[in-house]
Amino acid sequence: MCSPHPYRKRYCDLLLASIAILACAPLMLCIYGLIRCCGFNQPVFTQKRVGQNGKIFTIFKFRTLHDIPIQSQDFSAAHWSKSILSLLRCSGFDELPQLFNILRGDMSLVGPRPHTISDHILFASMLPEYEDRLAAKPGLTGWAQIRGWRGPVTCQHHLVERVAHDLAYISKQHFLFDLAILIGTVLLPLTTSTKRPRVLQTKDVS
């Protein structure tokens, strides 16, 4: 079951994403510079994700994780870098480049979050109803995210709750519901706990 008003939603996505890009341009430039100062030559990275109806697309994100541990003799500089990158992840500011994914039509402002190809295969093997969430275009934010099920999937219960929230969103898509989710996303950094359980491993799959 897809959006009952796909063209209306697409127009809203284009309008609001364009406004957000213009409004957030100074912030994104500052983040780009901060990440460069943290030792990344390419502050923006790309990754393949699974989108609507299983279509593979390239997502944009600010780079906040090092491939290898930071090797630095300056402890204060390393600590500063780690704090900045952690703040970007917790605040969700690392997702801002996905506004360009919305303009390209890969994503919507609101919808189920897109997963990597490997995670998609794993999660589909765990839950028969998992692929039903592909009926909607993936979102920059979603109902599951503002209800506490954002970030890496930490256990099977986390996955079940995320999928349940995604399917609930798909079943009752509405402009006012999307607006409430967007407002909740803006307020999310003020209400999110920094404590997170461990990340789900393949061995957790029963």
Side-chain angles (χ1 to χ4, degrees):
M1 179 174 164
C2 59
S3 173
H5 305 288
Y7 294 107
R8 184 188 304 175
K9 181 164 183 171
R10 178 60 180 154
Y11 295 149
C12 290
D13 284 340
L14 287 173
L15 176 62
L16 295 180
S18 298
I19 293 173
I21 288 173
L22 292 175
C24 296
L27 174 60
M28 288 193 281
L29 287 174
C30 288
I31 293 174
Y32 187 94
L34 282 173
I35 296 176
R36 284 293 298 267
C37 292
C38 290
F40 293 107
N41 293 325
Q42 296 180 326
V44 177
F45 85 99
T46 60
Q47 190 179 55
K48 298 296 182 182
R49 297 288 179 100
V50 181
Q52 188 176 24
N53 299 321
K55 178 184 177 182
I56 306 299
F57 71 98
T58 301
I59 202 172
F60 305 119
K61 290 188 67 173
F62 280 123
R63 190 182 298 273
T64 58
L65 294 174
H66 288 272
D67 295 331
I68 57 175
I70 302 175
Q71 300 294 331
S72 173
Q73 295 179 348
D74 190 337
F75 176 79
S76 61
H79 179 72
W80 176 85
S81 174
K82 183 177 179 181
S83 298
I84 290 294
L85 298 177
S86 177
L87 177 62
L88 291 176
R89 288 193 300 274
C90 292
S91 65
F93 286 160
D94 60 328
E95 312 284 358
L96 285 176
Q98 289 163 41
L99 289 168
F100 293 98
N101 281 115
I102 295 172
L103 293 186
R104 284 162 51 114
D106 300 322
M107 297 175 61
S108 177
L109 282 169
V110 180
R113 285 294 293 164
H115 294 142
T116 63
I117 297 174
S118 59
D119 281 347
H120 174 81
I121 295 172
L122 172 62
F123 299 158
S125 70
M126 296 171 63
L127 287 180
E129 66 273 24
Y130 170 80
E131 292 191 336
D132 292 344
R133 67 197 294 278
L134 300 182
K137 188 174 291 187
L140 179 64
T141 185
W143 180 233
Q145 280 61 50
I146 68 168
R147 298 295 294 174
W149 306 107
R150 66 189 291 263
V153 173
T154 54
C155 61
Q156 189 158 355
H157 175 65
H158 188 153
L159 177 62
V160 169
E161 289 294 336
R162 175 179 291 186
V163 172
H165 281 75
D166 288 341
L167 297 182
Y169 166 77
I170 292 172
S171 69
K172 57 180 180 179
Q173 290 180 79
H174 188 274
F175 173 77
L176 293 179
F177 191 23
D178 282 5
L179 182 60
I181 291 172
L182 290 173
I183 294 173
T185 300
V186 173
L187 299 177
L188 194 61
L190 304 177
T191 58
T192 302
S193 171
T194 56
K195 183 178 179 181
R196 294 193 57 83
R198 65 188 180 88
V199 176
L200 175 71
Q201 303 293 330
T202 306
K203 64 183 179 181
D204 291 326
V205 182
S206 58

